[in-house]
Amino acid sequence: GAAAAPPPRVRAPEALAGLEPAALWRFFGELTQIPRPSKKEGAVLAYLREFARERGLETRSDAVGNLVIARPGSGGGEDAPAVCVQGHVDMVTEAEPSLGFDFDTTPLNVVRDGDWVTAVGTTLGADNGIGVAAALALLDSDADAPLPPLEALFTVDEETGLTGAFGLEADKLLTATTMLNLDTEEWGSVYIGCAGGGDSILNLAVATEPFAAAAALNVSVSGCLGGHSGLNIGEDRANALLLAADCAGVAMAAAGGDAHARLLSLGGGDKRNAIARDASAALLCADADAAEAARAAVAARAAELAEEYGTLETGLAVAVEVGEPAGAEPLAPESTERLLSLLALLPHGALKYSHAIEGLVETSNNVASAHLSADGTSYELVTATRSSITPALERVRRTIKAAAERCGGTAVQPDFYPGWAPDTQSAVLSVVKEELAAITGETPEVKAIHAGLECGILKEKVATQCGAKLDCVSYGPTITGAHSPDERVQISTVAPFFTLTQAVLARLAQVRASS
C-alpha cells in the first residue's frame, strides 16, 4: 500500500517545557500527542519515519510493522560494532470511565505534579514512550557524539500480544548483537532475565448417572488473596480451586465412598494469569449419616487449612453446609476419580528457584481454572506455566500433558513464548553496572522478573535467524502505576537514566570487533 503521509507537526505539551534532557522530553511530549494504541501504531510509525527522513537516517522495516532507524557511529565510534537500543511504540489505553476518552483520536492531557509527570485521567504511555524518546534523542545527538553505530528498534503491539517481537525479521532489521532494552520501570536496578510462558488447555470427558440422594453437601472456598500468577506465585498463596478439590475428596472418603456419596459439581478460577481466589464443590449423599460425616471431615480440613495458611491468607474461608438435594445427576464414580486425580497431580506454585539470582522464581505453574462445559459432558482446566529457561518450561508442560492423558483427558498446548535466562557473565551488564554505580554511588541491584519482557523473544529471533547471540540488559527510569490512569514517571530519574545510556554507549563506542 501507499506510504502513510507525514503527520502534521506535533508540539510537546507546555507542562514539559524546561525539563532536561531537553531533546528527550521534547520527543516524549510529541509522542503523547500522537494516538498510539496497541495494534494502531500507524501514526506513530509515520512520525518516526519523518524523523528519520528529516535527519537523513536509514530506515528498515518488516512485515509486522517493526521499524529500525540506523545512525552511523561518531566521535571515535565509527568502527565499533553496532548496538541496538530497543523500545515498543504502543501504549496501554486505560482511562477513568467518566472521561469517555477516545485514545484513537485524542492527544493526552499531560501535567506536572512536583517531581512527576502524569496525564489527566488516562495512562501516560511513559511505558514505553520514555524509552522511545530516549532512542530518538540518541539518534538526534550531535555529529561528534561518542556513539557506536546505532540500530534503534521500535517494536509494535508489545502490550496485547508481543506481536512485534514474535514477528520480528531480525535478519532483515538488525546487525547488532548487543541490545539495551529501555522498558523497565525501577531506576537503579538492572534487569537481566524474565520468564517465558506457555498455557495448557486440558479437556476431560465426564459421564453422569442417577443416584438416590437424601442430602446435598455444599463446600465453598473464598477470600483467598489470588494475585498475579507470575509476580505472586512464589509467595505460596492458597489456590482456592485446589483446596476445593481437596475438600471434595476428603468429604467423599469420610462419607464412605461411591456407595454413599457422589460429586455433583466442582469449579473455580478465572483468568489464566491469576491465582484462583474462589471455588466451590457440591456432593450428593445417600443418607443423613453420610452427609454429617462428610460435613465434619470438611470442617476439620478447614481448621487444618486455616493453620496452614493462616498468617498469610487472613481472609481464607472454607464454608460447608448440608442441604436438600437438587434433581441433577452427579458424576459417575469413574469420572469423579479422574477429575480429582488430575487436580491432585497437576503441579502448582513455584517449582524451582534460580541458582543464578537468589530469591527469583525460575519455573512455576498456575492451575488457573476448572469449569464444567455448558452441555455438562466435559471439564476444561487451564494452566499457565512460566520459566526463564525454555527446556524447563516445556518439561513442566510435558508433565501436565502426561497427567491429563493418564487421567483420560486431552491437552492442547499453544506455542510458548521464550524466557530470557539470566547471564551474569554478560559483557554489556558489566559496563552498565560500572556506569550506573558511577552515577548513583551505589552497587546496582541486578534482577530478573518472573513475568514477560520482549528480550527473550528478541534473543531467540536473533539466534535462529542470524545465528548470533544477543547480549542484552534492560533498565529505565522510575515509572509507577503503569497500565492504569495513575501512571506517572519520576522526573528526577529521567536525566540520570539518559546519562547512563550515553555513558554506556560511549564505552561501547570504544569496542572493536574481534578479528
Side-chain angles (χ1 to χ4, degrees):
R9 296 305 302 174
V10 287
R11 289 189 61 110
E14 276 304 308
L16 304 182
L19 295 182
E20 294 290 337
L24 186 157
W25 284 108
R26 181 175 84 253
F27 295 132
F28 176 66
E30 290 175 1
L31 288 168
T32 67
Q33 304 305 292
I34 302 169
R36 49 190 181 96
S38 300
K39 296 186 168 62
K40 298 179 179 177
E41 297 96 345
V44 69
L45 291 172
Y47 163 84
L48 294 172
R49 288 179 186 280
E50 179 64 10
F51 170 97
R53 191 192 63 76
E54 287 174 353
R55 290 159 181 80
L57 299 175
E58 178 198 352
T59 59
R60 306 192 280 269
S61 58
D62 60 15
V64 79
N66 299 311
L67 179 69
V68 161
I69 301 178
R71 179 192 189 276
S74 58
E78 291 83 357
D79 297 325
V83 176
C84 176
V85 178
Q86 189 263 326
H88 62 87
V89 297
D90 61 316
M91 64 173 280
V92 171
T93 51
E94 287 285 323
E96 302 290 357
S98 58
L99 276 186
F101 196 86
D102 183 359
F103 281 99
D104 289 355
T105 58
T106 316
L108 305 178
N109 182 5
V110 177
V111 294
R112 272 177 74 175
D113 178 14
D115 191 32
W116 299 86
V117 170
T118 188
V120 178
T122 69
T123 37
L124 174 64
D127 171 14
N128 185 214
I130 289 285
V132 171
L136 294 177
L138 292 165
L139 293 168
D140 197 44
S141 297
D142 294 341
D144 60 351
L147 291 170
L150 293 180
E151 295 176 338
L153 170 60
F154 303 105
T155 50
V156 296
D157 192 26
E158 188 266 354
E159 298 289 6
T160 64
L162 298 161
T163 309
F166 274 122
L168 180 76
E169 296 173 45
D171 50 353
K172 191 171 167 183
L173 298 190
L174 296 177
T175 65
T177 55
T178 298
M179 184 176 86
L180 306 178
N181 167 281
L182 306 179
D183 188 28
T184 39
E185 299 165 0
E186 186 183 2
W187 170 245
S189 295
V190 185
Y191 284 85
I192 62 165
C194 75
D199 296 348
S200 302
I201 298 95
L202 314 179
N203 199 276
L204 197 69
V206 293
T208 61
E209 64 180 38
F211 181 70
L217 186 82
N218 296 304
V219 179
S220 71
V221 180
S222 62
C224 296
L225 290 169
H228 189 287
S229 73
L231 302 180
N232 301 123
I233 201 77
E235 298 169 28
D236 292 321
R237 297 181 174 191
N239 180 314
L241 173 60
L242 298 183
L243 298 191
D246 178 59
C247 287
V250 165
M252 296 274 297
D258 300 337
H260 301 277
R262 298 287 174 89
L263 184 67
L264 181 62
S265 65
L266 174 67
D270 182 17
K271 292 187 170 60
R272 48 168 289 288
N273 60 359
I275 301 166
R277 297 179 63 219
D278 303 285
S280 62
L283 278 68
L284 293 181
C285 299
D287 53 64
D289 289 347
E292 175 51 30
R295 187 206 62 76
V298 173
R301 188 75 187 101
E304 293 169 354
L305 292 172
E307 190 171 341
E308 181 180 346
Y309 288 101
T311 55
L312 178 68
E313 293 279 3
T314 54
L316 169 63
V318 179
V320 56
E321 56 185 38
V322 177
E324 293 298 314
E329 284 189 355
L331 297 185
E334 183 263 351
S335 294
T336 299
E337 184 183 3
R338 289 190 295 112
L339 176 62
L340 294 182
S341 294
L342 179 54
L343 284 164
L345 287 170
L346 289 174
H348 175 80
L351 305 178
K352 182 176 181 291
Y353 282 81
S354 170
H355 295 166
I357 296 185
E358 191 176 343
L360 172 70
V361 177
E362 185 174 271
T363 305
S364 73
N365 190 58
N366 180 43
V367 180
S369 63
H371 294 286
L372 186 63
S373 62
D375 63 4
T377 62
S378 66
Y379 269 85
E380 183 179 273
L381 291 77
V382 177
T383 72
T385 311
R386 298 178 191 265
S387 181
S388 40
I389 297 179
T390 298
L393 172 77
E394 289 299 73
R395 180 176 57 79
V396 174
R397 293 216 297 174
R398 285 197 298 274
T399 301
I400 291 166
K401 188 170 193 278
E405 291 175 350
R406 187 73 186 82
C407 295
T410 60
V412 174
Q413 296 179 318
D415 286 347
F416 64 87
Y417 60 90
W420 172 22
D423 177 8
T424 53
Q425 305 306 307
S426 155
V428 71
L429 171 64
S430 66
V431 175
V432 171
K433 281 168 62 179
E434 286 174 23
E435 296 301 331
L436 180 54
I439 291 169
T440 64
E442 297 172 11
T443 303
E445 276 203 82
V446 178
K447 298 182 174 181
I449 188 169
H450 195 61
L453 287 172
E454 287 173 290
C455 303
I457 303 167
L458 300 178
K459 272 180 78 86
E460 192 138 303
K461 294 291 178 184
V462 169
T464 55
Q465 297 174 18
C466 309
K469 180 182 177 184
L470 186 65
D471 187 17
C472 49
V473 294
S474 180
Y475 60 88
T478 295
I479 297 168
T480 65
H483 300 191
S484 82
D486 299 326
E487 183 187 1
R488 54 189 197 155
V489 58
Q490 190 170 21
I491 295 166
S492 59
T493 65
V494 172
F497 152 72
F498 190 63
T499 299
L500 171 64
T501 307
Q502 289 176 307
V504 168
L505 290 170
R507 286 273 300 274
L508 296 177
Q510 299 164 19
V511 174
R512 294 296 174 262
S514 51
S515 52

